[in-house]
Amino acid sequence: MGKIRLKNIRIHSNHGCLKEEMLIGSDYRVDLEISADLSRPAISDQLSETVDYVHLNNIIKEEMKVRSNLLEHVAKRIIDRIFKEIQEVTEVEVEVSKINPPIGGDVESVSVKLGITR
């Protein structure tokens, strides 16, 4: 088994329950870690035998465009798409963070982390 990580993917989106969040949007950070058998591509050096991190990044960008009230919902959609589209993946952990959230305090970010094993 092996892991592939995508760290600190920065995206602007319109998630949230407040009208301002829906209209103006916020900055987000997404971190992803997947598990898969990487022994074959480690030997073959062939992209076709591994989990393409460009595909993973595209899934994240596309799902972050779909507005949701809750970060939990966004994280679950990302996980569901990865399992649906990439059969080699056996485990996914995704963390979605809202940067500078409007919660009435000096808070750098709020995050939701979900992990699911196939």
Side-chain angles (χ1 to χ4, degrees), residues 6-15 26 28-32 52-68 74-75 77-79 81-82 85-86 94-96:
L6 281 73
K7 295 181 182 181
N8 200 22
I9 301 166
R10 294 173 299 280
I11 299 172
H12 187 85
S13 193
N14 297 72
H15 307 299
S26 300
Y28 292 84
R29 185 186 73 237
V30 179
D31 297 298
L32 176 74
D52 186 352
Y53 50 79
V54 172
H55 188 178
L56 293 169
N57 188 54
N58 286 336
I59 289 171
I60 290 167
K61 290 190 307 186
E62 290 168 10
E63 290 302 324
M64 287 296 291
K65 287 180 185 176
V66 179
R67 205 199 79 68
S68 293
V74 179
R77 282 200 328 267
I78 291 168
I79 291 170
R81 280 262 323 262
I82 290 169
E85 295 181 19
I86 308 172
V94 64
E95 183 173 0
V96 180

Side-chain angles (χ1 to χ4, degrees), residues 78-96:
I78 291 168
I79 291 170
D80 289 348
R81 280 262 323 262
I82 290 169
F83 280 144
K84 180 180 178 186
E85 295 181 19
I86 308 172
Q87 296 304 311
E88 297 83 7
V89 174
T90 59
E91 186 174 6
V92 178
E93 183 174 276
V94 64
E95 183 173 0
V96 180

Side-chain angles (χ1 to χ4, degrees), residues 8-53:
N8 200 22
I9 301 166
R10 294 173 299 280
I11 299 172
H12 187 85
S13 193
N14 297 72
H15 307 299
C17 297
L18 302 176
K19 279 189 177 181
E20 297 81 16
E21 294 175 303
M22 294 178 201
L23 297 173
I24 299 168
S26 300
D27 291 325
Y28 292 84
R29 185 186 73 237
V30 179
D31 297 298
L32 176 74
E33 179 174 290
I34 64 97
S35 296
D37 182 356
L38 302 178
S39 60
R40 289 183 68 196
I43 294 167
S44 72
D45 197 28
Q46 296 299 310
L47 178 60
S48 62
E49 293 187 353
T50 194
V51 177
D52 186 352
Y53 50 79

